[in-house]
Amino acid sequence: MSVWSAGLLRSARGRRRGRTDGRRFLLRRAVPGHLGSARARVERAWLAAGLRKVPLRPPWAGYVHVHVKMDLLYGLVWLLTVLLEGISGQGVYAPPTVRIVHSGLACNIEEERYSERVYTIREGETLELTCLVTGHPRPQIRWTKTAGSASDRFQDSSVFNETLRITNIQRHQGGRYYCKAENGLGSPAIKSIRVDVYYLDDPVVTVHQSIGEAKEQFYYERTVFLRCVANSNPPVRYSWRRGQEVLLQGSDKGVEIYEPFFTQGETKILKLKNLRPQDYANYSCIASVRNVCNIPDKMVSFRLSNKTASPSIKLLVDDPIVVNPGEAITLVCVTTGGEPAPSLTWVRSFGTLPEKTVLNGGTLTIPAITSDDAGTYSCIANNNVGNPAKKSTNIIVRALKKGRFWITPDPYHKDDNIQIGREVKISCQVEAVPSEELTFSWFKNGRPLRSSERMVITQTDPDVSPGTTNLDIIDLKFTDFGTYTCVASLKGGGISDISIDVNISSSTDPPAVEPAFLEIRQGQDRSVTMSCRVLRAYPIRVLTYEWRLGNKLLRTGQFDSQEYTEYPVKSLSNENYGVYNCSIINEAGAGRCSFLVTGKAYAPEFYYDTYNPVWQNRHRVYSYSLQWTQMNPDAVDRIVAYRLGIRQAGQQRWWEQEIKINGNIQKGELITYNLTELIKPEAYEVRLTPLTKFGEGDSTIRVIKYSAPVNPHLREFHCGFEDGNICLFTQDDTDNFDWTKQSTATRNTKYTPNTGPNADRSGSKEGFYMYIETSRPRLEGEKARLLSPVFSIAPKNPYGPTNTAYCFSFFYHMYGQHIGVLNVYLRLKGQTTIENPLWSSSGNKGQRWNEAHVNIYPITSFQLIFEGIRGPGIEGDIAIDDVSIAEGECAKQDLATKNSVDGAVGILVHIWLFPIIVLISILSPRR
């Protein structure tokens, strides 16, 4: 492992270091998220006062020169900061936010859709949904599905991961999926998406007569119904053929085609009226879903003749069949009629056939039968003519199981105990198959019992409480104490007996106490009080207690009327820490409360929302900005340092060093530590342990991974939408519909003509682009919004406020008589509700790709938004391709010749920010 170094950035918390004689001194930058330096306080005061936020310089901005003397304006703003600072003390703690994105291509179909987020997929393909979350502490994620959790529908550990992946998706897994993120702050964040699974099953043709099914053959002057059924989504369309002839309604007077009212779209019936010789033929039913999701049509055929007949069968076994476990059972089923020849299947009334079942035609064999194999077995014959024939038999496997007992009165109830002179009833219950063979025997201390005046043995009514026997002991005496045994057996033998032992004795109950265990974390020189409470005990008299620290006896005593005992420690020290045990005792035993009193600090909580944690991204190594907060920092003594351990993934050896902490850590304070010289592309395991004067606290471990960021400091960006993740562009969940990734070679054959591109920007039929589909059910004015990844601007000179200019360019295609509007907006970090218009164009631009160039001057991290608005009709598809961002202004000829005439708003973006920039440049060197 290479040598690595690190540097800690923490809040100065208002303390300046250096000289204070009016000359310049150096002040360490406060970490993001904490109100540390005066500059950060002023910036946050402006934000609280409703002004535009001036972005904090990033941690790598280095040192800033500060003057001790403030002018009057800065003094007033600083005073406002002090007044507002107490409003929020939670630092970087933030409730969760959530957004759902999907990967892969949806089926492009012409089915009607409502304005909700729907993802269409073919059965058997892989569904992959990603839940993008933010928040600190890191939110816990859980995927759920309408009418139950996602895990109720499939076995997949990914229900607790950010990405939900369902391979070989089935129709029952369609529905609305919810991603829920929660971290204990505020309300959980929930987003949903509806998944529609498309499928088409093989159609089935069944044949029925108009006058019952008693006839063995189909005679002339009879009406026959051929019914075709297929399960599908979307609804199926049917067509009929007789031989090679396509049958249509009205094409043959002897043929009628219709759908039953109660199964519209699921069933198609071919009615043959008064059978004619030409009606004896081969009939085919074709089921189609119009090739949506590339699902092919399916066909089934049936041969109708004058010998066609429904099936009949015979079962060559007894009913019922009573057997012992371990025996082999064979059931035989034979056909006695039917044309075409029926197929025989065996089914079980509840559940599936046992895995060990052997099937051979109509013969079913179960070797070594068990109680779990018992039940009703049915043989079914089916040839799709008339109703299937069915014969059943019941298999009973002799068994004894689930013995239990109860005593009246209940000796375990505090106010209802066994006492001498009272009546005691012992009840014994066993599940027996068959129940009529069950017998009981009673024993006391191993000797047989017979019913007498004081010992009454009865067997209850099987219809009221089957398998139950009672032993009533009248006028309980001391000599009646002992062990009573109930033995259940079956008359036929061959099944092991069940014995149940019941002990009757004087009733005692050791104390039950709370808490059984409690951890108490407290710093030195502080006080703590432990309390142990009695929940129940019998007898309740003569209760004593004793407190111990380890093996050292601290205090003993006896309960009077109180239900608890306490032990205080006025001032904790090293010898006071440890495990305290409070034992509460009666003659039946003891109950114990345990308290672990410790000065260990709670575990730190890693911060996972660090913006671009990978920095100083060099050729072979990278640096990582590790951030965390401290859980309950005031619970114990002040944290003086952290022990940082790091090791390369897969290695055993930890490299450790201590990170010194100056001052008290506040709740929600974000601490930053920069890990440097990490080898690309290796992952590392990081362990962080807080240290106090008590010693080590609880550790937290996380894994950091190198992932090449999208322009961590933006120099150049280009996206042609060719890769699977479309360059990390995402769909906005606040719009009406989505942009779609498309190529001319893969587009739907039923696309709308006279609109949309016929190739990508380079002229390739195979190349991809993003476009909006404006066909039904889209309405005029509906919007689709595509969000770029967030870009970080290049680091600036800390002594100057100048901004870096970028040239933003893209190709757009707006062809069709119903073209709407294409807008581009700029969104700055921290301004999620403010979107600055960059560029706009509307109307038909012809069958060609056009290029737009816009200069942008962001002062902080930014994001671009493409917004397509549907026009008045379906011929309004808008497409974009080859989005580029390059450092430096656009060439003047590009701005003059290639920009859209109505898109010139971009050159003036952020003019309103110039006064604030000038003010900062004036005030910065004078602080």
Side-chain angles (χ1 to χ4, degrees):
M1 176 177 178
S2 66
V3 178
W4 54 275
S5 60
L8 175 65
L9 299 174
R10 288 195 61 248
S11 168
R13 296 195 51 74
R15 294 192 299 274
R16 295 184 175 90
R17 299 170 186 164
R19 306 187 59 172
T20 59
D21 56 358
R23 285 175 290 177
R24 297 192 179 189
F25 63 94
L26 294 178
L27 172 66
R28 177 75 72 177
R29 286 294 301 150
V31 294
H34 185 71
L35 299 179
S37 67
R39 180 180 179 86
R41 292 170 183 267
V42 172
E43 291 166 345
R44 296 188 183 280
W46 288 7
L47 180 61
L51 299 175
R52 301 277 185 189
K53 179 179 179 182
V54 178
L56 295 174
R57 285 179 179 158
W60 55 79
Y63 296 97
V64 294
H65 290 277
V66 182
H67 270 184
V68 174
K69 183 178 178 180
M70 291 188 192
D71 58 18
L72 178 61
L73 175 60
Y74 239 98
L76 292 175
V77 176
W78 178 85
L79 179 60
L80 178 61
T81 303
V82 174
L83 295 176
L84 296 176
E85 186 174 354
I87 295 176
S88 174
Q90 295 304 307
V92 298
Y93 286 102
T97 64
V98 63
R99 186 158 54 92
I100 296 178
V101 297
H102 58 73
S103 63
L105 297 177
C107 298
N108 297 319
I109 58 173
E110 297 295 335
E111 292 296 320
E112 185 173 347
R113 291 277 181 239
Y114 300 99
S115 59
E116 63 174 339
R117 194 167 293 276
V118 180
Y119 181 52
T120 305
I121 189 171
R122 179 174 174 176
E123 186 174 49
E125 294 183 350
T126 297
L127 172 69
E128 190 170 296
L129 303 175
T130 301
C131 188
L132 304 180
V133 298
T134 63
H136 182 69
R138 191 180 194 185
Q140 298 293 319
I141 298 173
R142 178 174 175 81
W143 284 95
T144 58
K145 184 175 179 290
T146 303
S149 76
S151 58
D152 293 337
R153 303 296 180 123
F154 58 93
Q155 296 297 323
D156 196 318
S157 59
S158 65
V159 293
F160 295 102
N161 295 336
E162 292 182 359
T163 299
L164 175 67
R165 182 180 174 86
I166 309 176
T167 58
N168 190 27
I169 191 169
Q170 300 300 305
R171 64 196 64 179
H172 68 268
Q173 292 172 315
R176 184 166 294 280
Y177 284 81
Y178 297 84
C179 175
K180 178 180 179 182
E182 54 186 340
N183 63 357
L185 299 179
S187 301
I190 302 176
K191 290 293 182 181
S192 68
I193 185 171
R194 188 162 70 84
V195 176
D196 201 0
V197 181
Y198 279 7
Y199 59 90
L200 173 62
D201 289 346
D202 292 329
V204 176
V205 170
T206 58
V207 182
H208 305 273
Q209 287 183 267
S210 60
I211 52 171
E213 303 295 342
K215 300 294 183 179
E216 294 185 358
Q217 296 179 341
F218 288 85
Y219 294 97
Y220 292 118
E221 299 183 358
R222 297 290 185 269
T223 299
V224 172
F225 298 87
L226 275 69
R227 175 176 296 172
C228 186
V229 180
N231 296 320
S232 70
N233 182 34
V236 68
R237 294 181 182 176
Y238 299 94
S239 58
W240 286 95
R241 293 180 185 176
R242 180 167 56 196
Q244 298 299 320
E245 176 191 4
V246 177
L247 297 177
L248 301 174
Q249 181 66 30
S251 62
D252 187 333
K253 293 183 179 180
V255 176
E256 183 177 347
I257 302 174
Y258 64 94
E259 296 176 352
F261 177 76
F262 56 87
T263 60
Q264 286 287 330
E266 299 176 3
T267 304
K268 198 77 168 183
I269 289 182
L270 179 68
K271 181 180 179 181
L272 306 177
K273 299 179 290 185
N274 296 325
L275 282 176
R276 303 160 299 176
Q278 61 266 33
D279 293 330
Y280 295 117
N282 190 47
Y283 291 85
S284 299
C285 172
I286 299 94
S288 173
V289 290
R290 286 82 68 200
N291 201 37
V292 297
C293 287
N294 296 320
I295 299 176
D297 297 347
K298 296 187 177 182
M299 183 178 70
V300 64
S301 299
F302 185 89
R303 178 70 181 177
L304 181 66
S305 70
N306 61 353
K307 295 182 179 180
T308 301
S310 57
S312 59
I313 58 173
K314 182 177 181 181
L315 207 57
L316 305 181
V317 293
D318 297 329
D319 184 31
I321 304 173
V322 181
V323 295
N324 286 330
E327 295 182 2
I329 298 298
T330 299
L331 307 179
V332 179
C333 177
V334 296
T335 59
T336 58
E339 174 67 31
S343 61
L344 297 178
T345 57
W346 281 95
V347 297
R348 194 177 176 188
S349 56
F350 297 102
T352 59
L353 295 175
E355 293 184 2
K356 57 190 172 185
T357 301
V358 178
L359 292 172
N360 185 11
T363 302
L364 179 146
T365 301
I366 305 176
I369 198 167
T370 65
S371 297
D372 295 335
D373 303 329
T376 301
Y377 289 75
S378 301
C379 176
I380 300 176
N382 187 20
N383 63 353
N384 293 338
V385 179
N387 297 321
K390 180 178 179 180
K391 296 288 184 180
S392 303
T393 185
N394 187 30
I395 298 178
I396 299 173
V397 181
R398 302 170 75 245
L400 287 173
K401 54 186 176 180
K402 293 185 180 179
R404 68 185 188 96
F405 76 93
W406 63 93
I407 303 173
T408 309
D410 186 356
Y412 300 100
H413 193 278
K414 180 176 180 180
D415 301 322
D416 193 10
N417 295 284
I418 295 175
Q419 298 178 8
I420 293 177
R422 295 185 60 178
E423 178 181 348
V424 176
K425 177 188 286 187
I426 308 172
S427 300
C428 175
Q429 186 178 54
V430 174
E431 292 186 13
V433 180
S435 58
E436 58 270 15
E437 295 185 7
L438 178 63
T439 61
F440 287 102
S441 302
W442 282 95
F443 298 83
K444 178 188 176 185
N445 297 329
R447 296 183 178 181
L449 273 180
R450 294 185 179 181
S451 185
S452 63
E453 292 183 358
R454 286 191 59 252
M455 299 281 185
V456 181
I457 299 174
T458 59
Q459 190 159 345
T460 59
D461 187 347
D463 296 332
V464 177
S465 182
T468 303
T469 181
N470 301 316
L471 173 62
D472 287 277
I473 306 175
I474 311 299
D475 187 16
L476 182 69
K477 300 182 181 300
F478 182 79
T479 56
D480 294 330
F481 291 152
T483 300
Y484 291 81
T485 303
C486 165
V487 179
S489 59
L490 292 179
K491 294 178 182 178
I495 304 298
S496 300
D497 297 341
I498 291 181
S499 297
I500 303 173
D501 293 333
V502 184
N503 185 50
I504 302 296
S505 61
S506 58
S507 178
T508 59
D509 192 6
V513 297
E514 70 172 4
F517 177 81
L518 180 64
E519 183 185 64
I520 301 175
R521 301 201 185 206
Q522 192 63 273
Q524 294 187 18
D525 303 323
R526 303 181 192 178
S527 63
V528 64
T529 300
M530 293 158 281
S531 177
C532 185
R533 179 178 298 276
V534 180
L535 299 177
R536 63 180 181 275
Y538 187 83
I540 57 176
R541 63 185 185 280
V542 197
L543 277 177
T544 61
Y545 65 84
E546 61 180 32
W547 285 89
R548 292 179 179 272
L549 174 56
N551 295 323
K552 180 183 178 181
L553 181 62
L554 302 175
R555 177 189 296 176
T556 62
Q558 186 170 330
F559 280 86
D560 295 326
S561 59
Q562 78 274 23
E563 296 181 349
Y564 63 91
T565 175
E566 292 183 340
Y567 185 80
V569 180
K570 295 182 179 180
S571 180
L572 284 170
S573 60
N574 285 334
E575 55 269 18
N576 296 135
Y577 288 113
V579 178
Y580 289 78
N581 290 314
C582 174
S583 298
I584 300 179
I585 309 163
N586 69 1
E587 62 186 50
R592 174 178 293 179
C593 297
S594 293
F595 302 88
L596 173 59
V597 180
T598 179
K600 292 177 62 175
Y602 285 97
E605 300 172 302
F606 282 116
Y607 185 67
Y608 287 87
D609 287 348
T610 304
Y611 184 74
N612 281 337
V614 176
W615 59 288
Q616 292 183 3
N617 191 15
R618 297 194 300 238
H619 179 59
R620 295 186 178 180
V621 298
Y622 68 100
S623 300
Y624 196 92
S625 183
L626 187 70
Q627 294 185 302
W628 70 90
T629 58
Q630 177 60 43
M631 181 190 302
N632 299 331
D634 299 327
V636 295
D637 297 314
R638 185 180 73 84
I639 296 174
V640 297
Y642 285 94
R643 178 174 292 121
L644 174 69
I646 184 169
R647 66 181 179 186
Q648 192 170 318
Q651 302 295 323
Q652 297 297 321
R653 183 178 178 183
W654 288 91
W655 296 82
E656 293 186 337
Q657 77 173 69
E658 287 192 2
I659 306 170
K660 298 297 183 182
I661 300 294
N662 297 320
N664 294 326
I665 299 176
Q666 303 301 313
K667 183 177 181 180
E669 178 180 348
L670 187 62
I671 305 170
T672 300
Y673 192 80
N674 297 325
L675 306 176
T676 63
E677 301 300 319
L678 304 177
I679 301 174
K680 287 185 181 180
E682 301 296 335
Y684 291 84
E685 193 172 1
V686 178
R687 180 177 64 198
L688 201 60
T689 307
L691 304 177
T692 65
K693 61 182 179 179
F694 173 84
E696 292 186 356
D698 292 339
S699 298
T700 298
I701 296 178
R702 69 164 291 187
V703 174
I704 60 174
K705 298 180 179 179
Y706 172 79
S707 58
V710 178
N711 299 298
H713 307 309
L714 181 62
R715 302 293 183 188
E716 185 175 2
F717 170 82
H718 178 79
C719 179
F721 303 109
E722 301 298 330
D723 58 349
N725 61 6
I726 58 174
C727 310
L728 300 182
F729 276 77
T730 57
Q731 308 284 353
D732 191 347
D733 55 5
T734 63
D735 56 9
N736 305 110
F737 63 106
D738 288 344
W739 288 76
T740 302
K741 181 180 176 181
Q742 180 72 64
S743 73
T744 305
T746 61
R747 67 182 176 184
N748 194 298
T749 56
K750 299 181 180 179
Y751 66 93
T752 305
N754 302 320
T755 187
N758 52 21
D760 75 345
R761 196 277 304 177
S762 67
S764 170
K765 301 288 186 180
E766 307 296 330
F768 287 89
Y769 51 86
M770 299 296 290
Y771 87 109
I772 61 170
E773 172 59 63
T774 57
S775 301
R776 275 190 319 121
R778 301 276 69 85
L779 302 176
E780 184 175 2
E782 288 189 342
K783 300 178 180 179
R785 290 163 57 88
L786 188 67
L787 311 181
S788 77
V790 177
F791 301 106
S792 293
I793 62 175
K796 301 298 185 300
N797 186 330
Y799 302 101
T802 58
N803 294 323
T804 300
Y806 293 95
C807 178
F808 162 54
S809 65
F810 63 98
F811 285 83
Y812 62 97
H813 192 284
M814 302 173 68
Y815 168 58
Q817 61 176 336
H818 302 138
I819 290 293
V821 182
L822 176 62
N823 297 321
V824 183
Y825 298 96
L826 179 73
R827 178 190 292 172
L828 297 180
K829 181 182 179 182
Q831 299 180 357
T832 56
T833 61
I834 301 177
E835 295 175 354
N836 305 291
L838 279 184
W839 184 92
S840 180
S841 184
S842 61
N844 187 357
K845 307 299 181 188
Q847 179 59 283
R848 65 181 179 274
W849 286 95
N850 301 283
E851 187 176 10
H853 288 78
V854 182
N855 286 329
I856 57 177
Y857 306 92
I859 59 175
T860 183
S861 302
F862 65 96
Q863 191 175 27
L864 297 168
I865 303 170
F866 288 90
E867 181 185 78
I869 304 177
R870 201 249 197 195
I874 64 173
E875 295 181 13
D877 295 353
I878 299 174
I880 60 173
D881 199 0
D882 286 355
V883 178
S884 298
I885 304 174
E887 189 173 5
E889 292 187 344
C890 302
K892 292 184 178 181
Q893 60 269 26
D894 290 335
L895 292 172
T897 61
K898 297 183 179 180
N899 263 2
S900 173
V901 175
D902 51 352
V905 296
I907 195 72
L908 300 178
V909 67
H910 302 324
I911 293 299
W912 57 271
L913 289 173
F914 287 171
I916 296 178
I917 296 171
V918 172
L919 179 62
I920 292 297
S921 64
I922 295 174
L923 295 180
S924 293
R926 300 185 58 192
R927 285 176 55 192

